[in-house]
Amino acid sequence: MDKIKLITDSASDILAEHADKYNIHILPIPIAVDGQSFLERVDFNAVQFYDILEKAQSLPVTSHISPVTYMDAYERFYAQGYNHLICVTINSKGSAMYESAQMGRKLFFEENPDAEGKVEIHVIDSLTYSAGYGYGVTQAAKMAQEGASAAEVLAYLDDYFDTIEVYLTIYSLEYAKKSGRIRAAAAFVGELLGLRPLMKIKNGEITIVEKVRGDKAILQKLVSTCERLVQQNRKHSKDRPFYLAARGAIEETGAEFCQQLQKRLGYPPDEYYYLGASITINAGPKAIGFATRGESLRAMGLR
């Protein structure tokens, strides 16, 4: 019988109660704030970080988790008798975490040659952010806890990451300008005109789908986009399509978003997340988004 351990990084924004319930190991991402070093989810939670971010003199900087840290995690769970370690990382197109986890795997087998054939370490690039992979990891861990085989869990994750899409909007362009995600001139014009970008994250790429003027209008666009995708999913699935909601430091807007979606779709989000540091450093704390299944990357010829 397979003994499976799910490992991921703190940018997955997995709910703390789910990490405990489904035995998910979350490695904290190092973050530097005005010369001080912190570990995400160890020294602060997502809500506390919003205040830290707004008070910081300069834009905080994240670092990737080291290969040695990954190796140590693999050694720890191998020693506990796990024969399948499934490590899911943040998008490799925006972080070196995937390469670090792979290097940690290489180091593990160099240091533990006797482990060959006794444990398999599967490193998966989520190609997405936040709840986009946090939910998939949570469901995979739940499957493992309920007795699914490693092959079944890996097949689920392969299918999940083939279709997952994340949509995000930000209510200020200040942090996107600071991080270089949006040019200063474009950010200035956008703020002047009250434009709010609707961004899509798929296959590791972030694209601006549309620019909408005004806070109310962008919320309605986000709601209608989520509704359209979920309704499309209903046509191709016997099960109730899942959708996730996530928000930063905008509780009232997040609550309104969820209420409108529940009214239109007939049920609330399957999970409601706080956006963590990896998203809010670049997008700012005033951000909101959702995730659900979209078009298959294989069908699009991208996998």
Side-chain angles (χ1 to χ4, degrees):
M1 183 177 177
D2 293 335
K3 187 175 181 182
I4 305 163
K5 182 71 175 183
L6 270 294
I7 302 168
T8 191
D9 50 72
S10 57
S12 61
D13 295 336
I14 289 173
L15 305 180
E17 58 266 33
H18 286 172
D20 292 338
K21 183 177 180 179
Y22 300 118
N23 196 26
I24 302 166
H25 186 64
I26 300 177
L27 294 170
I29 292 175
I31 299 177
V33 184
D34 295 335
Q36 295 186 60
S37 298
F38 299 94
L39 291 175
E40 186 177 21
R41 294 178 75 119
V42 174
D43 297 311
F44 52 76
N45 60 31
V47 175
Q48 291 168 336
F49 184 71
Y50 302 152
D51 186 55
I52 293 171
L53 181 59
E54 291 187 319
K55 291 179 179 178
Q57 297 299 306
S58 58
L59 193 67
V61 178
T62 60
S63 301
H64 67 268
I65 297 165
S66 74
V68 172
T69 300
Y70 278 109
M71 180 189 72
D72 289 345
Y74 302 153
E75 288 184 332
R76 172 182 172 185
F77 297 116
Y78 170 61
Q80 291 178 16
Y82 289 94
N83 60 355
H84 285 276
L85 308 180
I86 302 176
C87 180
V88 182
T89 72
I90 190 174
N91 177 21
S92 66
K93 295 181 182 180
S95 167
M97 222 85 76
Y98 175 71
E99 289 82 357
S100 190
Q102 289 277 38
M103 180 58 71
R105 180 185 185 278
K106 183 174 182 291
L107 292 174
F108 169 82
F109 284 110
E110 287 177 354
E111 293 292 320
N112 302 273
D114 62 309
E116 288 282 0
K118 298 178 182 178
V119 62
E120 291 189 45
I121 301 175
H122 316 267
V123 180
I124 299 172
D125 179 3
S126 74
L127 290 172
T128 191
Y129 297 95
S130 188
Y133 68 107
Y135 181 79
V137 170
T138 300
Q139 295 306 303
K142 182 180 179 182
M143 288 176 64
Q145 196 174 80
E146 292 173 349
S149 68
E152 290 170 327
V153 172
L154 290 167
Y156 163 78
L157 288 170
D158 182 64
D159 178 66
Y160 177 87
F161 290 125
D162 183 53
T163 58
I164 193 67
E165 292 184 359
V166 173
Y167 287 79
L168 182 76
T169 191
I170 54 179
Y171 286 77
S172 169
L173 301 179
E174 174 189 356
Y175 292 89
K177 179 179 69 175
K178 286 181 180 179
S179 66
R181 303 285 174 171
I182 296 178
R183 289 182 296 108
F188 173 75
V189 173
E191 291 285 15
L192 194 65
L193 297 176
L195 297 178
R196 305 287 180 254
L198 175 61
M199 295 174 284
K200 177 181 177 180
I201 304 170
K202 190 173 182 72
N203 195 34
E205 303 292 343
I206 303 174
T207 56
I208 296 180
V209 177
E210 193 171 344
K211 297 175 184 176
V212 181
R213 183 175 294 182
D215 293 350
K216 290 184 179 180
I218 190 60
L219 183 65
Q220 292 308 311
K221 174 58 68 173
L222 206 61
V223 169
S224 63
T225 302
C226 185
E227 180 185 19
R228 173 177 57 79
L229 287 171
V230 172
Q231 297 293 15
Q232 287 177 0
N233 291 337
R234 276 182 172 156
K235 297 177 183 179
H236 305 291
S237 175
K238 295 179 182 179
D239 300 323
R240 189 191 77 174
F242 81 87
Y243 73 97
L244 319 168
R247 81 296 201 186
I250 45 175
E251 290 283 0
E252 290 185 6
T253 305
E256 183 182 352
F257 178 55
C258 292
Q259 289 168 5
Q260 289 195 33
L261 283 171
Q262 180 169 356
K263 184 177 181 180
R264 293 197 188 190
L265 295 170
Y267 58 97
D270 289 67
E271 299 293 349
Y272 191 26
Y273 293 76
Y274 279 107
L275 294 168
S278 294
I279 285 285
T280 55
I281 284 173
N282 295 292
K286 295 180 180 178
I288 190 169
F290 73 88
T292 190
R293 289 185 182 269
E295 189 174 356
S296 163
L297 292 174
R298 288 192 178 89
M300 297 167 68
L302 297 174
R303 288 185 81 185

